C-alpha cells in the first residue's frame, strides 16, 4: 500500500487543484476533514498525509469537482499510497449549503457584510448549521440572491438529482396537499 512520498508532486497537485476549482486551502481541509494547518503542512512537505484523509479528499474532489478528476486521482500516489480512489460524495448538509451560498455570493462580488446580512435573513447560525434539510423557501431565497431558480439551487447542492426533477410531475400529482414540490413546508430531505 505504501510507495515513495513525492513532496514536490503533492505540492504541485494541491496548487493545481486550488487553482482549478477556486477552492482555498481551508476549503480543501474541510473536504478532507482536517485542519487548515494540516493542508499547509502537506503543501510545504513537512507532514505526510494520512491515508484516510487523502482518500477522503481525493474521493470528494472526484465527486464534486470533475474538472480536476485527473489531478484528484494522483493525490494518493503522490502522498505515498498505491491504491485507486473512487468518488466519495458527501451527504448534503445545511452547513454545506451555507458555505456553497457564501462562496457563490463572494464570486459575485458580495461583501462579507452582505453575506452576514443574508445569513441573518435566512436564520442561519452556528446552532442550526448542521440541519440536513433545505426547504423550498430557502432554495427560492438563495436562488433569488444568486440569480438562479430554486430547482437549480437544489440540483447544484445535491438535494435534488436530475432523476428527482424528471419524476417530479408524476409524484406531485399523487402527493397530498402540503407535500407537493413548491407547497409551503415541502422539504427535500438528505439523500440516503
Amino acid at each position: 500500500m505504501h510507495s515513495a512520498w513525492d513532496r514536490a508532486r503533492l505540492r504541485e497537485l494541491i496548487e493545481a487543484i486550488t487553482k482549478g476549482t477556486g477552492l482555498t486551502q481551508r476549503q480543501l481541509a474541510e473536504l478532507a476533514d482536517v485542519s487548515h494547518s494540516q493542508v499547509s503542512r502537506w503543501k510545504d512537505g513537512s507532514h505526510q498525509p494520512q491515508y484516510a484523509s487523502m482518500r477522503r479528499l481525493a474521493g470528494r474532489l472526484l465527486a464534486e469537482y470533475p474538472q480536476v478528476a485527473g489531478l484528484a486521482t494522483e493525490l494518493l500516489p503522490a502522498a505515498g499510497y498505491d491504491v485507486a480512489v473512487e468518488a466519495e460524495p458527501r451527504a448534503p448538509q445545511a452547513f454545506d449549503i451555507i458555505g456553497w451560498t457564501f462562496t457563490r455570493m463572494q464570486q459575485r462580488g458580495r461583501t462579507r457584510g452582505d453575506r452576514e446580512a443574508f445569513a441573518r435573513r435566512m436564520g442561519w447560525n452556528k446552532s442550526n448549521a448542521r440541519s440536513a434539510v433545505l426547504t423550498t423557501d430557502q432554495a427560492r431565497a438563495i436562488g433569488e440572491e444568486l440569480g438562479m431558480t430554486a430547482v437549480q439551487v437544489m440540483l447544484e447542492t445535491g438535494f435534488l438529482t436530475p432523476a428527482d426533477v424528471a419524476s417530479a410531475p408524476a409524484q406531485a400529482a399523487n402527493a397530498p396537499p402540503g407535500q407537493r414540490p413548491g407547497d409551503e413546508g415541502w422539504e427535500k430531505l438528505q439523500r440516503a
Side-chain angles (χ1 to χ4, degrees):
M1 184 159 130
H2 287 281
S3 64
W5 173 29
D6 188 342
R7 290 172 172 87
R9 181 63 182 146
L10 186 58
R11 179 179 50 254
E12 291 169 3
L13 288 170
I14 291 171
E15 289 171 355
I17 288 167
T18 55
K19 184 177 180 181
T21 60
L23 294 171
T24 64
Q25 281 185 218
R26 187 171 305 279
Q27 290 167 318
L28 280 183
E30 289 172 7
L31 286 174
D33 291 334
V34 297
S35 69
H36 171 256
S37 60
Q38 190 71 14
V39 174
S40 293
R41 288 191 288 265
W42 296 347
K43 189 175 174 187
D44 70 21
S46 65
H47 189 271
Q48 183 178 13
Q50 290 185 347
Y51 168 75
S53 301
M54 192 55 45
R55 183 182 158 281
R56 190 176 311 111
L57 174 60
R60 289 177 175 172
L61 286 168
L62 281 171
E64 299 176 29
Y65 299 92
Q67 69 270 31
V68 295
L71 299 171
T73 60
E74 294 182 50
L75 282 171
L76 281 165
Y81 303 102
D82 290 328
V83 292
V85 64
E86 295 179 16
E88 182 180 310
R90 294 182 292 173
Q93 295 180 333
F95 181 78
D96 293 332
I97 301 306
I98 295 169
W100 179 89
T101 302
F102 282 8
T103 298
R104 273 143 192 87
M105 288 177 77
Q106 188 173 14
Q107 291 168 348
R108 288 167 172 76
R110 306 300 200 303
T111 66
R112 180 177 180 177
D114 293 337
R115 295 189 303 270
E116 289 172 353
F118 184 71
R120 283 191 298 275
R121 283 196 313 272
M122 295 295 292
W124 290 340
N125 58 51
K126 290 180 182 177
S127 67
N128 67 7
R130 296 226 176 254
S131 170
V133 174
L134 176 67
T135 67
T136 53
D137 289 340
Q138 289 172 327
R140 278 190 202 108
I142 294 167
E144 287 172 10
E145 184 69 28
L146 300 176
M148 302 169 70
T149 68
V151 171
Q152 288 172 318
V153 169
M154 292 181 112
L155 282 168
E156 282 200 29
T157 57
F159 278 88
L160 281 177
T161 67
D164 293 331
V165 175
S167 66
Q171 290 175 355
N174 297 323
Q179 295 181 11
R180 296 180 182 136
D183 286 350
E184 186 67 32
W186 178 78
E187 299 170 342
K188 177 65 180 179
L189 298 177
Q190 172 181 327
R191 288 181 288 163

